[in-house]
Amino acid sequence: MAATLKIWGCRGSLPTPGTDTITYGGNTSCVEVVLEGEAALVLDAGTGIRALGFDLVARNKRQIHLFLTHLHLDHLEGLRFFAPLWDERVTLEIWGPRSPEVSLRDRILRSFSPPLFPLDFRDVPARVTFHDLPGEPWRAEGITLFADLVLHPGPTVGFRLETDGSAFAYLPDHEPALAGIEGRSLDWISAGALAHGADLVLHDAQYFEDEYDARIGWGHSSVADAVAFCQAIDAGRLVLFHHEPEHSDRELEQLEARARELGGGLEPELAYEGMTLELA
Ligand SMILES: [Zn+2]
Ligand SMILES: [Zn+2]
């Protein structure tokens, strides 16, 4: 069956409201995989999840599955302001990468405690459960979702979503260049096997090449590395994601032009808030 994705936030690192970021948006990472039934499927809980929450309430979605790539604040900070969390009729299942030190639950609960937040997680009315990743593939409505560890500081996963006819990879925070991309077999490229042959890839493209040279090891990709990764894994289409907070709409368009110079058949394009993407 087909699937539709909707982008609710695609900014990296920090929200960037303001007149220079209106076209592509200032909210941090959040993508919805639109399901037809009662359930909802959400990737990441950046500030984009706040507006999604009101939309889910209006659509009477009360079984929510939230998959977190990792717990850096830009992927988690919208959760406390996610309206369904404050509704006792809601069931919220949260998946995120396991850590050898502290449970997923306890790491998320840190953000629901003083001095970061006035309320305690015990005050949350929704029924919330936690699940470690990677684990068994998750399935619903003809969709299968896989997770695997990827190169980024701290435990971090990427996702692959498959329908009957196509595959989509979500890699918002990813620095595959650290381990090497060109000339390597798929198993030796970070997320190579996970994303292989995906028809659509949402990939970290935070920096121009010269910016990246000063930020190696920060966990993000240059536009050239995003293109090289997608060429190596034989992707069909690249959507540039996790926009650098310092980049205005105009600079992002220069980044897109650079991606197209490099990108051959990938025809890279910028993610923007409100963008919908169809999967066959
Ligand atoms: Zn991020
Ligand atoms: Zn991160």
Side-chain angles (χ1 to χ4, degrees):
M1 72 161 255
T4 302
L5 310 174
K6 184 167 180 188
I7 294 175
W8 292 84
C10 48
R11 185 66 52 174
S13 308
L14 191 74
T16 57
T19 52
D20 287 341
T21 55
I22 286 171
T23 306
Y24 300 97
N27 281 300
T28 63
S29 302
C30 181
V31 174
E32 179 189 9
V33 181
V34 181
L35 300 180
E36 287 173 4
E38 280 179 46
L41 175 56
V42 183
L43 309 179
D44 278 334
T47 60
I49 204 171
R50 191 187 68 89
L52 168 59
F54 297 125
D55 202 66
L56 294 177
V57 169
R59 285 149 58 198
N60 274 320
K61 298 273 197 178
R62 297 197 187 120
Q63 295 169 32
I64 300 168
H65 305 270
L66 171 62
F67 284 79
L68 301 171
T69 53
H70 62 312
L71 305 187
H72 284 161
L73 272 180
D74 55 321
H75 298 255
L76 187 64
E77 64 190 319
L79 182 62
R80 290 162 297 180
F81 300 91
F82 183 47
L85 193 63
W86 303 99
D87 181 341
E88 63 187 16
R89 297 166 298 177
V90 166
T91 303
L92 175 61
E93 297 198 51
I94 301 178
W95 279 261
R98 71 170 57 83
S99 149
E101 285 135 26
V102 185
S103 72
L104 177 66
R105 180 179 193 278
D106 286 349
R107 280 176 291 143
I108 290 175
L109 262 51
R110 284 173 180 165
S111 64
F112 286 81
S113 63
L116 301 176
F117 197 59
L119 299 177
D120 189 275
F121 199 77
R122 282 170 299 200
D123 301 323
V124 167
R127 281 160 289 160
V128 185
T129 52
F130 298 87
H131 310 273
D132 284 340
L133 291 173
E136 291 296 306
W138 181 88
R139 293 185 172 86
E141 294 190 22
I143 285 169
T144 308
L145 189 68
F146 304 86
D148 200 6
L149 293 168
V150 303
L151 257 179
H152 187 67
T156 303
V157 297
F159 295 114
R160 177 190 183 90
L161 186 151
E162 288 183 357
T163 65
D164 289 345
S166 63
F168 153 64
Y170 177 66
L171 297 160
D173 294 51
H174 188 212
E175 191 179 5
L178 268 191
I181 300 171
E182 275 127 318
R184 292 183 168 248
S185 67
L186 283 176
D187 284 343
W188 288 96
I189 301 173
S190 171
L194 182 72
H196 181 221
D199 302 275
L200 171 67
V201 179
L202 263 64
H203 198 280
D204 187 332
Q206 187 151 347
Y207 304 125
F208 288 97
E209 287 122 298
D210 58 340
E211 292 174 324
Y212 177 69
D213 290 342
R215 294 168 175 82
I216 292 170
W218 288 24
H220 301 292
S221 285
S222 71
V223 60
D225 291 335
V227 168
F229 173 81
C230 283
Q231 287 171 333
I233 58 123
D234 200 19
R237 180 180 175 195
L238 165 60
V239 173
L240 307 163
F241 200 85
H242 209 268
H243 305 318
E244 159 64 34
E246 297 295 312
H247 290 167
S248 64
D249 289 333
R250 195 176 52 80
E251 287 165 312
L252 286 178
E253 282 158 9
Q254 291 166 355
L255 188 98
E256 182 182 62
R258 176 64 182 145
R260 287 183 178 180
E261 244 172 55
L262 297 160
L266 288 168
E267 292 180 24
E269 61 195 304
L270 294 163
Y272 60 88
E273 265 175 58
M275 185 184 209
T276 57
L277 295 155
E278 303 294 333
L279 281 176

